[in-house]
Amino acid sequence: MGHPFPIREIARQAGLSEATVDRVLNGRGGVRESTAREVHRAIADLDRQRTQVRLVGRTFMVDIVMQSPERFSTAVRAALEAELPSLRPAVIRSRFHFRETGPVGELVAVLDRIGRRGSQGVFLKAPDVPEVTAAVGRLAAAGVPVVTLVTDLPASTRIGHVGSDNRAAGATAAYLMGQWLGDRPGHVLTSLSSGAFRNEEEREMGFRATMRARQPGRALVEIAEGHGLDAATQYDLVRAALERDPGIRAVYSIGGGNIATLRAFSDAGRECAVFVAHDLDHDNTRLLREHRLSAVLHHDLRHDLREACHLVMRAHGALPPAGPTLPSAIQVVTPYNMPPP
């Protein structure tokens, strides 16, 4: 296939040997299909980042490791690549390791492989479990700084965290819910993708505390482990909750799966009077435009990725020390104040 990049650059981007890349590009045998896909993906990544590749400056190769629904990982990739020109004259090159779900051991294997191969930094969105915390420690011991993204691992040796104040976000959701429901009766369904993600736990705590203070008589019904995916698991969890509790009239979606949640309400013949969600990804943007969501709590991913890059650059002495990274601002987005595409 035609491409403007040297084999050495493609090999570095893909984390493979030059010989392997050469075999893939020239159609020689002996290469697994998954390896060939990594080479083609590396070329696509380089093509998107081509304005940075040609810049003169210090180059930092970072790895973005995320367990997240595709709609959110796509938004993170776009935010990072949009920020690359603002980091000049430094050059940030990025490799992406995205998965929607799966065993913790596979995620740990990705982190350990990065440690063996080498990297200038890792941006990590992962469950807060001991195995991941230990893997972050091994990366730190190998000289690879780790920045947690959106959800934190506070017991780990990460060098910093970027994201919003999740407790404040949950409290904001509770305030909006109370304002819109008013004195009308109705229970609120809270939906988490997984109890292992600290950001979701903090959102839920902020929401529950504020609802208890402002509307103590309103019941909260929790479901979890739908993994934020619009799949049968999330649909079944919501549908079962609706069948058990005829009083559910509103949703606070902490972890996603909103299309499946709305479908479960529709199939049950139930109205969702208020629906507050997180993150202005492509699914939520469409649902908000269609007035199927009441509001989306969003924060500036470009700000988060810019701060993550700065943290890595400081770890390597390329920027002077600075104060603590502040949380990114929480934006309340409705169908009437949506940002331009």
Side-chain angles (χ1 to χ4, degrees):
M1 62 180 291
H3 59 85
F5 308 109
I7 286 178
R8 180 178 302 170
E9 290 290 336
I10 299 170
R12 185 181 184 200
Q13 182 73 24
L16 300 169
S17 70
E18 293 181 31
T20 298
V21 172
D22 183 70
R23 284 200 299 274
V24 171
L25 297 180
N26 289 287
R28 302 190 185 99
V31 180
R32 292 194 300 269
E33 183 179 345
S34 60
T35 302
R37 285 199 300 269
E38 290 181 17
V39 171
H40 298 317
R41 188 161 52 241
I43 293 172
D45 289 343
L46 284 171
D47 189 56
R48 280 194 307 274
Q49 302 168 38
R50 63 188 178 278
T51 57
Q52 281 281 299
V53 171
R54 296 184 177 90
L55 290 175
V56 176
R58 188 167 175 181
T59 299
F60 299 87
M61 177 65 80
V62 298
D63 290 87
I64 297 83
V65 182
M66 297 179 60
Q67 180 169 312
S68 173
E70 176 275 334
R71 62 182 181 275
F72 187 71
S73 57
T74 297
V76 168
R77 183 199 293 263
L80 175 60
E81 292 178 348
E83 277 301 301
L84 294 181
S86 73
L87 299 167
R88 299 172 182 173
V91 179
I92 302 292
R93 294 269 303 282
S94 47
R95 296 182 291 228
F96 300 95
H97 313 267
F98 295 158
R99 51 187 246 144
E100 291 196 310
T101 186
V104 169
E106 293 181 3
L107 180 61
V108 168
V110 170
L111 296 174
D112 286 341
R113 189 160 59 247
I114 291 169
R116 291 192 299 269
R117 183 179 60 197
S119 177
Q120 273 74 56
V122 170
F123 303 163
L124 178 62
K125 180 184 182 296
D128 185 9
V129 295
E131 298 92 333
V132 174
T133 296
V136 172
R138 291 191 291 273
L139 284 170
V144 180
V146 175
V147 179
T148 53
L149 174 66
V150 178
T151 184
D152 200 6
L153 302 170
S156 73
T157 52
R158 51 87 168 137
I159 62 168
H161 170 70
V162 295
S164 62
D165 182 332
N166 287 297
R167 284 185 186 246
T172 301
Y175 172 79
L176 296 173
M177 189 71 68
Q179 291 293 107
W180 280 326
L181 286 177
D183 295 329
R184 290 179 292 170
H187 303 164
V188 180
L189 181 70
T190 62
S191 173
L192 294 85
S193 73
S194 171
F197 287 99
R198 180 170 288 269
N199 66 322
E200 295 189 20
E201 180 184 65
E202 291 174 344
R203 290 172 183 175
E204 193 274 338
M205 292 170 65
F207 182 80
R208 187 174 294 275
T210 304
M211 288 295 289
R212 187 164 53 241
R214 297 180 62 88
Q215 295 198 320
R218 197 176 296 281
L220 306 182
V221 180
E222 181 180 312
I223 60 172
E225 304 309 320
H227 304 294
L229 305 177
D230 292 303
T233 301
Q234 177 71 12
Y235 176 90
D236 291 343
L237 287 168
V238 178
R239 191 67 186 269
L242 293 175
E243 291 174 357
R244 288 193 306 269
D245 191 334
I248 295 174
R249 298 193 64 238
V251 173
Y252 174 37
S253 176
I254 298 172
N258 300 331
I259 292 174
T261 299
L262 287 165
R263 188 169 68 249
F265 269 84
S266 176
D267 290 351
R270 299 271 289 274
E271 176 197 12
C272 184
V274 181
F275 198 130
V276 179
H278 279 272
D279 302 316
L280 205 58
D281 54 45
H282 53 73
D283 282 353
N284 285 344
T285 297
R286 177 174 61 82
L287 294 174
L288 200 56
R289 290 189 190 280
E290 295 171 354
H291 290 247
R292 299 174 71 191
L293 300 181
S294 307
V296 170
L297 301 180
H298 185 63
H299 63 281
D300 188 352
L301 288 174
R302 289 184 60 170
H303 170 272
D304 292 346
L305 273 300
R306 182 170 62 251
E307 290 300 311
C309 290
H310 287 168
L311 284 167
V312 166
M313 293 162 71
R314 288 190 187 100
H316 291 283
L319 287 177
T325 302
L326 299 176
S328 43
I330 300 165
Q331 305 169 26
V332 179
V333 185
T334 73
Y336 301 101
N337 70 330
M338 296 182 67

